[in-house]
């Protein structure tokens, strides 16, 4: 039996997509073999790859002046690839620190350039984002990097920073495709696939044309945006199964009605869970209400000694992977696109029943 899987990543995928993959697993499009067993250079696979890009471009409204890359190495490889491609040694880049993923991006970037942390939300224990008007940018910075949604802290920007001429770079790993986004505001967007796109092993990069071809000497070719763009992301063997699965998810999103429809659903799902948390004295969410994530909702129990029983009983109710990140503890429910409202309803009902027995 399939459970409601609230994991932060690898995360739940649409059942319809998994069923389609299952149905065509042994004999993919009449090939007599699975999609994992065909050449990435075959006409059939290249067709799948190009269709996936086309569907993604349509869903996100990616302008023609941007390249879409299907890479490997996760978002973590991009922590290094971004400075290697967009800045020369000794250049300055601005970073906003809103929590654990920002911190990792900053730590990695320090090896490649001079990182200026222009805002750090430590003062609120990373339960806030900086006010838009408080941001001061470094003149001439190579780029500004930020994390629109902090997957661990459950903190999300309600706005996109506007650094003027400075290229804006976003780690959208845990928010991409959850709602419409104005791609034209960004110089570069990257995202690991395993939250809202497909299986792990695939990383999306959406990068503006004029930023290609400036990689510093010594950049590995698989991390060089221009080399990868020129090769259609097939400079070496791409993660073919992940690319295929991402394509099925993009088609599923189109069948749902696109990102405006997903935004409505995601907002409603998050609202339902926050209401349940705020309406109880047993559960609490530490994040400033102005920047609470739609995707990742951490919460604590008034009696932390009950966490283990909460998780065990939730699992028995078909509600899986509700434990918080190992670094923070507590609980966390991730409500990506593939989590239906029925899953949130089941969680809210369980929480209320658990509180009645233990509160
Ligand atoms: C999961 C996550 C990462 C790390 O992704 P990997 O693919 O494991 O490298 C980075 N940034 C954010 C915001 C994430 O949610």
């Amino acid at each position: 039996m399939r459970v409601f899987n609230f994991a932060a990543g690898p995360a739940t995928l649409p059942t319809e997509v998994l069923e389609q993959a299952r149905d065509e697993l042994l004999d993919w499009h009449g090939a007599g073999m699975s999609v994992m067993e065909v050449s990435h250079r075959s006409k059939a696979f290249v067709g799948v790859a190009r269709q996936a890009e086309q569907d993604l471009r349509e869903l996100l409204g990616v302008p023609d002046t941007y390249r879409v890359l299907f890479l490997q190495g996760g978002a973590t490889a991009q922590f290094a690839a971004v400075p290697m491609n967009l800045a020369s040694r000794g250049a300055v880049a601005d970073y906003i620190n809103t929590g654990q993923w920002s911190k990792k991006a900053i730590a990695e970037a320090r090896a490649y350039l001079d990182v200026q942390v222009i805002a750090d939300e430590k003062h609120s224990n990373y339960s806030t984002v900086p006010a838009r008007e408080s941001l001061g940018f470094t003149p001439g910075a190579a780029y500004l990097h930020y994390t629109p949604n902090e997957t661990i802290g459950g903190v999300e920007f309600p706005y996109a920073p506007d650094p003027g001429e400075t290229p804006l770079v976003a780690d959208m790993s845990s928010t991409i495709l959850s709602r419409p986004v104005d791609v034209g505001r960004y110089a570069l967007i990257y995202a690991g696939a395993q939250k809202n796109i497909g299986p792990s092993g695939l990383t999306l990069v959406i990068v503006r044309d004029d930023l290609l071809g400036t990689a510093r000497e010594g950049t590995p070719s698989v991390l060089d945006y221009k080399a990868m763009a020129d090769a259609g992301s097939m400079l070496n063997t791409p993660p073919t199964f992940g690319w295929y699965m991402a394509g099925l998810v993009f088609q599923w999103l189109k069948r749902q009605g696109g990102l405006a429809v997903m935004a409505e659903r995601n907002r409603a799902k998050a609202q339902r869970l926050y209401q349940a948390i705020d309406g109880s004295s047993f559960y609490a969410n530490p994040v400033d209400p102005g920047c609470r994530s739609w995707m990742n909702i951490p919460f604590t129990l008034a009696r932390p000694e009950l966490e283990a029983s909460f998780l065990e009983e939730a699992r028995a109710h078909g509600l899986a992977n509700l434990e918080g990140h190992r670094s923070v503890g507590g609980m966390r429910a991730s409500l990506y696109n593939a989590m239906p409202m029925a899953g949130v309803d089941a969680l809210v009902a369980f929480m209320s029943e658990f509180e009645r027995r233990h509160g």
Side-chain angles (χ1 to χ4, degrees):
M1 202 214 35
R2 262 176 86 69
V3 297
F4 290 118
N5 176 8
F6 294 93
T12 189
L13 286 164
T15 304
E16 256 179 65
V17 164
L18 294 171
E19 285 168 345
Q20 186 180 346
R22 176 200 61 199
D23 290 346
E24 54 193 38
L25 189 65
L26 294 186
D27 182 8
W28 177 68
H29 296 189
M33 59 184 88
S34 78
V35 66
M36 282 176 274
E37 300 164 291
V38 304
S39 165
H40 56 294
R41 311 232 179 253
S42 65
K43 209 169 160 192
F45 187 81
V46 170
V48 163
R50 295 300 155 239
Q51 187 63 48
E53 175 175 344
Q54 199 42 51
D55 289 337
L56 177 74
R57 282 181 174 277
E58 208 176 299
L59 281 164
L60 273 174
V62 179
D64 289 343
T65 47
Y66 286 69
R67 306 300 293 266
V68 176
L69 309 178
F70 292 80
L71 307 180
Q72 302 186 59
T76 303
Q78 295 308 310
F79 294 165
V82 165
M84 287 179 131
N85 279 272
L86 303 192
S88 49
R89 199 170 294 279
V92 173
D94 285 346
Y95 277 73
I96 298 176
N97 185 358
T98 46
Q100 300 209 30
W101 288 116
S102 308
K103 256 179 242 175
K104 290 195 175 176
I106 288 166
E108 193 83 16
R110 286 198 200 281
Y112 303 100
L113 42 52
D114 178 5
V115 170
Q116 289 292 327
V117 178
I118 61 161
D120 190 320
E121 298 306 285
K122 192 174 194 318
H123 60 86
S124 70
N125 197 22
Y126 300 100
S127 64
T128 50
V129 300
R132 189 201 296 256
E133 56 289 351
S134 74
L135 294 174
F137 307 108
T138 306
Y143 58 87
L144 166 66
H145 179 284
Y146 83 116
T147 309
N149 184 69
E150 286 282 356
T151 320
I152 296 172
V155 172
E156 184 171 290
F157 276 80
Y159 67 92
D162 181 6
E165 291 299 294
T166 299
L168 180 60
V169 175
D171 173 4
M172 287 201 190
S173 294
S174 51
T175 186
I176 193 164
L177 298 175
S178 66
R179 73 206 76 183
V181 41
D182 181 1
V183 174
R185 290 186 70 131
Y186 296 86
L188 189 149
I189 291 168
Y190 64 92
Q194 67 273 23
K195 276 84 187 222
N196 226 357
I197 296 174
S200 59
L202 174 73
T203 314
L204 269 187
V205 172
I206 302 171
V207 56
R208 213 172 59 207
D209 271 345
D210 62 288
L211 296 168
L212 298 178
T214 54
R216 68 179 61 186
E217 207 175 316
T219 301
S221 52
V222 293
L223 294 181
D224 181 326
Y225 298 144
K226 179 160 193 317
M228 274 306 209
D230 288 349
S233 304
M234 293 194 191
L235 184 88
N236 67 326
T237 316
T240 52
F241 188 70
W243 199 332
Y244 152 81
M245 287 293 289
L248 296 188
V249 170
F250 299 155
Q251 281 168 15
W252 177 81
L253 286 170
K254 285 170 73 178
R255 291 199 297 279
Q256 306 308 300
L259 300 190
V261 170
M262 296 319 294
E264 236 354 271
R265 286 190 203 167
N266 288 327
R267 193 191 49 74
K269 287 183 312 191
Q271 197 172 10
R272 175 142 330 164
L273 183 50
Y274 284 120
Q275 264 168 9
I277 292 169
D278 292 344
S280 106
S281 48
F282 188 73
Y283 302 104
N285 168 279
V287 179
D288 181 293
C291 51
R292 282 173 160 183
S293 171
W294 290 3
M295 296 281 103
N296 313 97
I297 304 183
F299 60 93
T300 52
L301 275 51
R303 294 171 57 196
E305 71 276 13
L306 292 176
E307 282 180 3
S309 358
F310 181 92
L311 290 169
E312 198 177 312
E313 290 181 31
R315 190 63 183 76
H317 282 75
L319 307 167
N321 293 324
L322 283 161
E323 60 274 17
H325 189 266
R326 55 194 149 73
S327 65
V328 290
M331 305 296 150
R332 173 176 51 169
S334 293
L335 310 180
Y336 299 119
N337 284 337
M339 175 59 64
M341 184 60 108
V344 182
D345 285 340
L347 173 59
V348 166
F350 168 73
M351 286 168 68
S352 139
E353 189 246 349
F354 189 88
E355 176 177 0
R356 197 166 38 74
R357 281 186 289 116
H358 298 286

